[in-house]
Amino acid sequence: MNRIKEVLEEKGIKQIWLAEQLGKSYNMVNSYVQNRRQPSIECLYDIAEILKVSAKELLVEDE
């Protein structure tokens, strides 16, 4: 599980913009945001860098 959706909403960033920055399709980014797929570790770090957050902030801890 990830918090990409929450971080995008907090920062007022659209999924399509993130997709353009990553060089990935909107559908792929949307599947990350909806937690249907999880990004690779490399992609997670790329997303964190683009959003100016730590990769840890994009992850949900298991309780």
Side-chain angles (χ1 to χ4, degrees):
M1 298 287 288
N2 68 62
R3 296 187 60 250
I4 297 171
K5 181 177 186 175
E6 289 86 349
V7 174
L8 288 174
E9 288 174 355
E10 288 168 10
K11 294 185 172 282
I13 295 173
K14 302 284 185 193
Q15 292 179 40
I16 193 144
W17 181 86
L18 180 58
E20 290 169 359
Q21 300 302 306
L22 283 171
K24 295 194 177 286
S25 71
Y26 169 81
N27 288 338
M28 181 62 74
V29 170
N30 184 258
S31 66
Y32 297 157
V33 170
Q34 299 300 323
N35 276 296
R36 290 189 303 265
R37 293 184 65 152
Q38 295 302 315
S40 68
I41 296 296
E42 294 84 6
C43 185
L44 186 74
Y45 275 91
D46 290 342
I47 293 169
E49 186 174 325
I50 290 166
L51 297 180
K52 296 179 175 51
V53 296
S54 72
K56 188 174 182 178
E57 287 183 64
L58 296 176
L59 301 174
V60 176
E61 290 185 34
D62 288 336
E63 294 183 18

